[in-house]
Amino acid sequence: MQEKSNFTKYFKSDISAGLVVFLIALPLCLGISLASGAPLFSGIISGIIGGIVVGFLSGSSINVSGPAASVALVVYTAIQTLGDYQAVLIAVVLAGVFQIILGMIKAGTVAYFFPNAMIKGILASIGLVLILKQIPHALGIDQVFEGMESFSQNDGRNTFSEITYVLSNIGWGATSITVISLLIILLWDSQKLKKFVFFKYFPSALAAVAVSVLINELYKIYFPGLALNASHLVQLPVAESITAFAGFFSFPDFSQLGNPQIYSIALSITFIASLESLLSTEAGDKLDPFKRKTSTNRELKAQGIGNIVSGLVGGLPITAVIVRTSANVNAGGLTRTATITHGLIMLVCVSLIPTMLNKIPLASLSAVLFVVGYKLTSVSVYRSVYIQGKKQFLPFIITVLVVLFTDLITGIIIGGSVAVFFILRDNYKHSYFKKKEEGEGKYKTVINLAEEVSFLNKADLLLTLEHIPKDHHVVIDGSKSIFIHPDIVEIIEDFEKTAEFRNIQLEIIGIERRQTSKGFWIG
């Protein structure tokens, strides 16, 4: 009933956000297809399935799934090894089966052990990489595939040398479109214009894209030297008939099931896709304005079903993707209606109006991604982590730097390891104690925090608070605590925000509150 109410309440904003996510996801799907060495339409297929199928099955309200750069190298290597994309599709299907099994055995709870410092570092690094990787597209150099996140690139340059190259080869047509698009987005989203209903629900990104298409068409007529050619526009395959469109789909070659290499590739896809999906889910919950908690086991099952469907019809592996999820939140997406909408729009548009989509300049989409990237990696993000102390800031900044100079998966592994090192070094004994009391016909749960409460208690405390029934009295007593880890702090803060909606009477005893740039924290 509550979900239906939210569907109605946030329908307009979700539809608007779905349009924005579609605009961002379209070139990313195509770019990841190219980086994978797979058929161009394979990324579109997985984007559609990630939006509709996974969006419908997932318990997350804001996650957006589709093809991810993290699995592009695995697919590329697999195609070279097996020599046939249809054989790779079997590995995608098997990876989906493995993910469902992981969800059934509740392996998704590993996400509760991702340190917050690492999650924040991943979000900030994705924003930073997003901005740096979009600079070439914004200035008219499109030799690097959209969606490529790794430091080393397919053109032999890296993130920084590419920018140096671009600055000496600026395309003024693309640059002018980027600047105009960015100005439109910033003005459109200003508080003055948001007072009007039209500006509130009509996406600024869509307005910028529409104007950029018009500008480029005018360039073709009046200033041919500034006009962008096909290499600087969205390049979607165009089918001349229904039969030709059907030819865009591929199907698994099940005769390869006996090939042991298939299973090795499937396990690689399972590991990377599951890891990124769990991280994206945890990160998405942090971005969610309502601080809702997603069942990570359900998310694994949803991703698994999505990968099975994607593999059966020729799509790339699917994961929850931080960039699209962030764009969804920034655009006002509040329920899974936005995610499903983006998939439906992609299905309709690539089927019916691919020629029109191919007029969209990549430069205008870069402007949209600049805004998304900045919100993820703004100065206030770094400041808020810095004031929590070096035990939080060092894992955070190391994660940012590792992702920037390598790739996402390496950043997750190294950043997480650094965070765990600090925890294990400084906190070898942490606990809390819970007891239930009954008085005057009402139950009360008392949680006494120990002298030191660390990140290691995160999952247990989170599950304890989530399972407290409605109409309950809860006391969190930290009067004996010397140290409370910031991860525990955020759990208590989130519980405090949701307690009133569950009619839970909450008392917090002996815990000092200190003002920070992001609100109050406890410790």
Side-chain angles (χ1 to χ4, degrees), residues 10-20 201 203 337-338 341-342 345:
Y10 304 121
F11 181 76
K12 290 182 180 179
S13 62
D14 284 338
I15 295 297
S16 175
L19 275 167
V20 174
Y201 291 111
T337 300
T341 296
H342 117 271
I345 294 173

Side-chain angles (χ1 to χ4, degrees), residues 76-390:
Y76 180 83
T77 304
I79 292 174
Q80 303 305 310
T81 301
L82 300 174
D84 184 8
Y85 181 63
Q86 291 179 309
V88 177
L89 293 177
I90 300 175
V92 177
V93 173
L94 289 173
V97 174
F98 294 156
Q99 284 183 302
I100 293 175
I101 294 172
L102 289 175
M104 292 176 67
I105 63 175
K106 302 189 183 304
T109 53
V110 70
Y112 294 135
F113 294 96
F114 289 154
N116 280 351
M118 184 199 73
I119 295 174
K120 292 175 182 177
I122 291 294
L123 287 170
S125 63
I126 289 293
L128 186 59
V129 170
L130 197 58
I131 292 172
L132 294 174
K133 291 292 186 181
Q134 285 303 314
I135 290 175
H137 298 290
L139 301 182
I141 302 295
D142 298 295
Q143 297 171 354
V144 178
F145 302 134
E146 281 280 3
M148 178 170 285
E149 298 170 356
S150 60
F151 184 68
S152 300
Q153 301 178 166
N154 60 289
D155 61 354
R157 289 185 282 268
N158 60 48
T159 302
F160 295 113
S161 63
E162 184 74 23
I163 294 174
T164 303
Y165 170 76
V166 169
L167 291 176
S168 60
N169 295 274
I170 293 176
W172 295 109
T175 303
S176 63
I177 287 176
T178 299
V179 172
I180 293 171
S181 298
L182 195 56
L183 288 174
I184 290 173
I185 293 170
L186 296 177
L187 290 172
W188 204 278
D189 290 337
S190 65
Q191 291 300 317
K192 290 183 178 180
L193 292 183
K194 282 299 179 183
K195 295 178 182 178
F196 301 97
V197 175
F198 176 75
F199 290 99
K200 184 177 181 180
Y201 291 111
F202 191 88
S204 58
L206 183 58
V209 167
V211 171
S212 71
V213 171
L214 178 61
I215 291 174
N216 195 48
E217 292 302 312
L218 292 175
Y219 280 168
K220 290 178 182 178
I221 299 172
Y222 299 106
F223 305 100
L226 295 177
L228 305 182
N229 57 36
S231 65
H232 302 296
L233 308 174
V234 171
Q235 298 183 57
L236 190 66
V238 178
E240 297 179 356
S241 64
I242 295 177
T243 303
F245 184 77
F248 291 153
F249 295 84
S250 305
F251 305 98
D253 179 8
F254 287 104
S255 65
Q256 293 282 341
L257 271 173
N259 186 345
Q261 291 179 314
I262 294 290
Y263 296 89
S264 175
I265 294 167
L267 288 172
S268 297
I269 294 173
T270 302
F271 172 76
I272 294 175
S274 299
L275 185 60
E276 178 157 1
S277 292
L278 292 175
L279 176 69
S280 297
T281 300
E282 276 285 281
D285 286 349
K286 295 294 181 188
L287 296 172
D288 184 0
F290 297 142
K291 301 301 178 185
R292 291 162 289 193
K293 298 298 179 184
T294 301
S295 169
T296 49
N297 293 315
R298 177 176 173 178
E299 187 65 27
L300 282 178
K301 295 174 188 176
Q303 296 292 336
I305 293 172
N307 274 314
I308 291 173
V309 176
S310 183
L312 288 174
V313 294
L316 291 171
I318 292 171
T319 79
V321 186
I322 296 175
V323 171
R324 284 165 236 188
T325 299
S326 303
N328 185 30
V329 174
N330 290 334
L334 294 170
T335 76
R336 57 183 177 179
T337 300
T339 299
I340 297 171
T341 296
H342 117 271
L344 289 172
I345 294 173
M346 187 176 294
L347 174 61
V348 171
C349 289
V350 300
S351 304
L352 302 180
I353 56 169
T355 303
M356 186 178 299
L357 295 178
N358 286 345
K359 294 181 181 294
I360 298 176
L362 294 177
S364 64
L365 299 178
S366 294
V368 179
L369 290 170
F370 278 148
V371 175
V372 173
Y374 175 75
K375 290 183 178 180
L376 287 174
T377 195
S378 63
V379 175
S380 62
V381 172
Y382 293 82
R383 186 187 299 118
S384 67
V385 180
Y386 180 77
I387 62 177
Q388 292 182 3
K390 67 178 182 180

Side-chain angles (χ1 to χ4, degrees), residues 436-494:
K436 287 189 177 180
E437 301 176 356
E438 184 178 4
E440 300 180 356
K442 189 170 184 179
Y443 286 96
K444 178 168 69 173
T445 297
V446 179
I447 298 175
N448 293 301
L449 303 181
E451 289 187 357
E452 293 187 357
V453 188
S454 80
F455 156 78
L456 296 174
N457 300 114
K458 176 181 175 182
D460 192 21
L461 180 60
L462 180 63
L463 293 173
T464 296
L465 294 177
E466 283 184 348
H467 286 89
I468 289 176
K470 295 180 180 179
D471 305 316
H472 209 69
H473 184 189
V474 179
V475 177
I476 300 177
D477 187 353
S479 57
K480 295 182 179 179
S481 299
I482 298 173
F483 170 83
I484 302 177
H485 194 275
D487 286 14
I488 301 297
V489 167
E490 290 196 11
I491 291 174
I492 297 174
E493 284 184 330
D494 292 345

Side-chain angles (χ1 to χ4, degrees), residues 21-44:
V21 178
F22 157 70
L23 292 172
I24 292 173
L26 181 65
L28 294 178
C29 288
L30 294 170
I32 291 168
S33 296
L34 289 169
S36 302
L40 193 59
F41 204 71
S42 61
I44 298 296

Side-chain angles (χ1 to χ4, degrees), residues 54-62 293-295 298-299 302 336:
V54 179
F56 182 77
L57 296 174
S58 171
S60 173
S61 300
I62 59 172
K293 298 298 179 184
T294 301
S295 169
R298 177 176 173 178
E299 187 65 27
R336 57 183 177 179

